[in-house]
Amino acid sequence: MIVPIANKVGIRVSTRIDTCRSSLFCSKNSSVSLHPINVADTVLMDIQNSGIIACLRAKRVSSGGCACSTPGWNFRCCKSIESVGYILKKTYLRSIVFQLEITMSTPGVFEALQCLVQEYPSASIGVGTVLDRREAKEAVDLGAKFLMSPAMVKGILSDVAEGQALYIPGATTPTEVLSASTDGAKIITVYPVSVSGGVEYLAALKKPFPHIPLVASQGMGLDTVGAYICEGATAVVLSDAIFDKKAMAERNFLRIHHLACSAATEGNQAVRKTKCMDE
């Protein structure tokens, strides 16, 4: 069943409710209750339901210019969010992908975050590649519901200990995964997963840590979403697989929208299959 959710700008956002819903929070990948009590738990629940985190990234502009160096982004100035906002309205927020990560390398990242949070207060929008506490604090103050890092930044974890945002630190080795979990991380990104061994590495890493939710990040395509989730990933991060570089360069938003919907479908089906198998 599809349940429409209206937002204040009139864009319809839908999410899926299926027969496996009741089992989503009692599986080996779950670390949140059925009734979340804070932002962090709510976002974690959203991630566990969708299986997808869409990652929008662009290269940081140089101090001497106003145009982004990545072809197709067409920012009118380094602080402009017009292109990002338009892309999101035409793609992400009209599909059923509910987690969006905007990386710190994206020009005008905080301006984009502030605008999107105001327009879509119910969406799970976060900031990625957060490397220090100052960036994390600014992001949370502007409404980011989750933060992602390629490594563990303990100061960030302690700053959001009350659940005002979900912190997803990065780890590669079993030692790093266990350390992050012991320090209090509710969910951990395995990064860079593709160059570390891909699906097989994620599966091997999951075996000693069945109770720790893991997100697969780096180098995934739509064709590998199901494999990662079936082998133990709670979710996967998709960047170019959704925000295709050629489509972005050509401002082909219909193409990006189709990719976003395909990603949402792949994630939803994999999550449903995995949760039902756990019953």
Side-chain angles (χ1 to χ4, degrees):
M1 179 174 65
I2 304 295
V3 181
I5 303 173
N7 59 50
K8 67 179 183 180
V9 295
I11 293 178
R12 290 170 62 84
V13 181
S14 300
T15 186
R16 292 183 179 274
I17 299 176
D18 54 64
T19 56
C20 295
R21 175 89 180 207
S22 62
S23 67
L24 288 178
F25 310 100
C26 59
S27 73
K28 61 186 179 183
N29 280 328
S30 179
S31 64
V32 61
S33 67
L34 183 60
H35 304 289
I37 60 174
N38 54 39
V39 172
D41 284 346
T42 299
V43 174
L44 181 55
M45 181 179 70
D46 289 343
I47 292 172
Q48 290 174 327
N49 278 334
S50 73
I52 300 290
I53 298 175
C55 177
L56 180 65
R57 70 181 69 207
K59 294 180 180 178
R60 193 180 296 277
V61 293
S62 64
S63 58
C66 291
C68 180
S69 59
T70 300
W73 285 88
N74 299 321
F75 288 94
R76 291 191 298 182
C77 70
C78 60
K79 292 185 178 181
S80 173
I81 61 169
E82 183 180 29
S83 295
V84 171
Y86 185 74
I87 290 166
L88 294 176
K89 289 176 184 179
K90 293 294 184 181
T91 59
Y92 164 73
L93 288 168
R94 286 187 176 178
S95 73
I96 54 171
V97 180
F98 277 95
Q99 291 74 50
L100 172 70
E101 170 198 358
I102 308 175
T103 66
M104 284 296 302
S105 63
T106 301
V109 56
F110 288 135
E111 290 89 343
L113 173 66
Q114 186 175 31
C115 177
L116 293 168
V117 167
Q118 289 174 351
E119 287 200 37
Y120 310 104
S122 63
S124 294
I125 300 173
V127 176
T129 322
V130 181
L131 303 179
D132 61 55
R133 298 173 72 178
R134 178 190 59 79
E135 293 176 342
K137 183 180 186 305
E138 186 169 359
V140 173
D141 287 346
L142 291 173
K145 293 183 179 179
F146 67 93
L147 306 166
M148 299 186 73
S149 300
M152 177 67 170
V153 183
K154 291 185 179 181
I156 297 177
L157 189 61
S158 62
D159 288 343
V160 297
E162 295 181 1
Q164 57 269 52
L166 177 67
Y167 180 47
I168 311 176
T172 304
T173 67
T175 299
E176 292 170 347
V177 169
L178 182 59
S179 177
S181 178
T182 301
D183 287 338
K186 295 174 180 283
I187 185 170
I188 298 161
T189 297
V190 181
Y191 177 88
V193 70
S194 292
V195 298
S196 299
V199 175
E200 292 78 11
Y201 182 74
L202 188 285
L205 192 60
K206 185 69 178 179
K207 286 182 179 179
F209 308 119
H211 59 294
I212 301 177
L214 300 177
V215 175
S217 179
Q218 183 267 323
M220 264 78 66
L222 293 179
D223 58 337
T224 59
V225 169
Y228 274 103
I229 292 178
C230 287
E231 290 296 338
T234 295
V236 301
V237 177
L238 295 178
S239 181
D240 291 348
I242 293 177
F243 299 103
D244 177 74
K245 291 179 180 178
K246 185 174 184 291
M248 294 285 282
E250 296 174 351
R251 297 179 65 80
N252 187 347
F253 302 119
L254 181 60
R255 168 64 175 163
I256 299 169
H257 171 62
H258 287 163
L259 290 172
C261 289
S262 295
T265 299
E266 290 288 336
N268 183 264
Q269 290 178 347
V271 168
R272 290 166 59 194
K273 178 180 179 181
T274 302
K275 303 303 181 182
C276 288
M277 287 174 61
D278 287 342
E279 285 188 316

